Amino acid sequence: MIKPGATIGILGGGQLGRMIALSCAQLGLKTHILCPDADSPAFQVSDGHICAAYDDEAALAELASISDVVTYEFENVPLATAQFLQARVPVRPGPRALAVSQDRLAEKTFVRDLGIETAPFAPVDSLDDLIAAAAAIGLPAVLKTRRFGYDGKGQVTIRPGDDLAAAFETIGRQSAILEGFVSFRREVSVVAARREDGAFAAYDVTENVHRNHILHTSTAPANVTAETARSARGIACRIAGALEYVGVFAVELFVADQGLSERLIVNEIAPRVHNSGHWTMDGAVTSQFEQHVRAIAGWPLGDTACLGRVEMLNLIGDDVDDWQRFLADPAAHLHLYGKQEARAGRKMGHVNRLLDRDPEGC
Ligand code: AMP
């Protein structure tokens, strides 16, 4: 049983690690962060840190000796790192969730084997595989590297008439999957939490809009039918149960039209707190970061109820220069990540706006 005063180890020192650490502090827990980047935003708000590579065994052993439980803020933690730590200290979520979500082929196969719809997909390890997959699945389709793809990196859309060899070159001839192109109406996600004993709680379904492959806005609740929302949360619950998951996670889904009703297609599982759940910091009773801490500590899950319609806007690159304008908006909550340099495409902060706020209210 983790008690206030215990130490949570966090792999990764970006904004997600930072916001987990802030929630730990709120709950009287200490944090120790391991990250190779000396400028990590999470270091600024933690009790201690280790600046070392994720495969540095001496550093990992030190983190394990300080921590009562270890968690992570990104899914590309090397599996060997999670296993090394798990031999010494509880790691939540466990290595199984990492193994499934690090590899798009394993992930899609896992979801399909649960009887949940995905886009049609096929493994691609050579140009011949790609030619066969394109013939089987049809074009347009999306070629995605199996590993290390994020924010649209490591993927290319192939349209009828495109040169398949050139597409395979574009992704560096890496092991990949070809996915059928989904003509979706909306992209949504479910952010949810599961405890070791199976207790489960999901937030309202969130609608996500991307710009240049990076999340731009998330709006909750999503504009989907009550039945679609129920099924999306049910899908998240089944995935979490099958992974024996502990902590907060997100499932990204496409909503496609099916006659007059809606159809859900799972795109991705993120075994961590998620950008599309940032609205919960100001728009839900319990934020996803507090919820993650509660789940990995074995504490009761908090209430996921939404406080009203809410929109999260990501501040990318020099969007952050408008910080004074956001502060002047009475409906807005500004969150900045303490990053020094506002490079193009870099997530610098976000703003949550409560859309139903009554300006006359007290
Ligand atoms: P991913 O890296 O898999 O999350 O994909 C990034 C974005 O590319 C998604 O949020 C979608 O907007 C788009 N995308 C990915 N896969 C597909 C697909 N099979 N069909 C249509 N759009 C896709």
Side-chain angles (χ1 to χ4, degrees):
M1 170 75 167
I2 304 291
K3 297 210 171 107
T7 298
I8 309 294
I10 304 173
L11 295 170
Q15 64 269 15
L16 301 180
R18 176 184 171 103
M19 291 185 275
I20 295 170
L22 289 169
S23 281
C24 286
Q26 175 207 327
L27 292 168
L29 293 160
K30 297 194 173 66
T31 46
H32 216 88
I33 318 272
L34 187 146
C35 184
D37 178 0
D39 268 342
S40 294
F43 289 174
Q44 300 164 11
V45 300
S46 62
D47 296 275
H49 66 262
I50 305 169
C51 192
Y54 294 119
D55 59 358
D56 178 334
E57 291 195 349
L60 294 173
E62 186 190 342
L63 183 71
S65 71
I66 296 167
S67 305
D68 296 285
V69 58
V70 170
T71 190
Y72 44 85
E73 63 146 21
F74 68 115
E75 58 271 44
N76 287 319
V77 170
L79 216 47
T81 297
Q83 285 159 345
F84 180 91
L85 286 166
Q86 211 187 23
R88 291 160 177 81
V89 61
V91 176
R92 296 179 182 148
R96 170 102 203 279
L98 282 178
V100 167
S101 61
Q102 279 177 357
D103 177 349
R104 289 189 193 272
L105 180 61
E107 181 179 59
K108 287 257 156 35
T109 306
F110 166 79
V111 172
R112 186 186 59 190
D113 289 352
L114 288 176
I116 298 167
E117 186 172 355
T118 65
F121 63 93
V124 170
D125 289 306
S126 64
L127 181 56
D128 284 346
D129 286 351
L130 178 56
I131 293 166
I137 289 172
L139 297 179
V142 189
L143 183 64
K144 301 180 178 180
T145 56
R146 279 175 63 170
R147 292 179 176 272
F148 300 119
Y150 69 99
D151 288 348
K153 293 187 177 65
Q155 64 176 268
V156 58
T157 300
I158 307 179
R159 301 182 190 284
D162 283 356
D163 180 356
L164 296 183
F168 198 37
E169 270 321 314
T170 305
I171 61 150
R173 304 179 66 84
Q174 296 179 60
S175 272
I177 62 170
L178 187 72
E179 261 182 44
F181 192 87
V182 178
S183 140
F184 56 83
R185 176 167 288 270
R186 312 174 194 286
E187 289 189 77
V188 299
S189 55
V190 179
V191 175
R194 184 180 181 276
R195 271 165 43 121
E196 201 166 22
D197 65 0
F200 175 86
Y203 291 97
D204 274 88
V205 177
T206 306
E207 186 161 340
N208 303 315
V209 174
H210 295 84
R211 268 198 197 160
N212 303 321
H213 297 285
I214 301 176
L215 184 65
H216 175 55
T217 58
S218 288
T219 311
N223 186 8
V224 293
T225 64
E227 192 190 331
T228 299
R230 211 171 21 252
S231 336
R233 288 153 63 125
I235 285 172
C237 187
R238 279 160 66 199
I239 289 175
L243 289 173
E244 296 181 6
Y245 194 87
V246 181
V248 163
F249 66 101
V251 180
E252 296 178 44
L253 308 102
F254 299 124
V255 182
D257 285 338
Q258 177 155 279
L260 290 177
S261 62
E262 295 169 330
R263 188 165 123 230
L264 286 167
I265 298 149
V266 167
N267 180 35
E268 216 166 40
I269 305 166
R272 54 172 170 80
V273 290
H274 196 255
N275 197 166
S276 71
H278 289 2
W279 64 267
T280 61
M281 296 174 87
D282 304 295
V285 176
T286 312
S287 84
Q288 64 163 343
F289 300 100
E290 176 178 339
Q291 191 77 312
H292 183 65
V293 176
R294 285 169 172 253
I296 64 172
W299 294 353
L301 296 179
D303 187 351
T304 52
C306 188
L307 301 174
R309 284 185 315 129
V310 55
E311 181 191 80
M312 188 272 330
L313 169 73
N314 260 343
L315 302 180
I316 311 286
D318 55 19
D319 292 348
V320 72
D321 293 347
D322 274 342
W323 60 273
Q324 291 183 81
R325 181 166 68 80
F326 297 121
L327 284 177
D329 176 350
H333 294 266
L334 177 65
H335 299 264
L336 298 177
Y337 304 151
K339 296 183 184 178
Q340 290 298 317
E341 204 192 331
R343 291 193 295 271
R346 193 171 196 209
K347 291 176 179 168
M348 301 298 294
H350 68 271
V351 180
N352 288 331
R353 292 187 76 254
L354 300 169
L355 302 178
D356 300 324
R357 183 181 173 279
D358 174 7
E360 307 300 321
C362 56

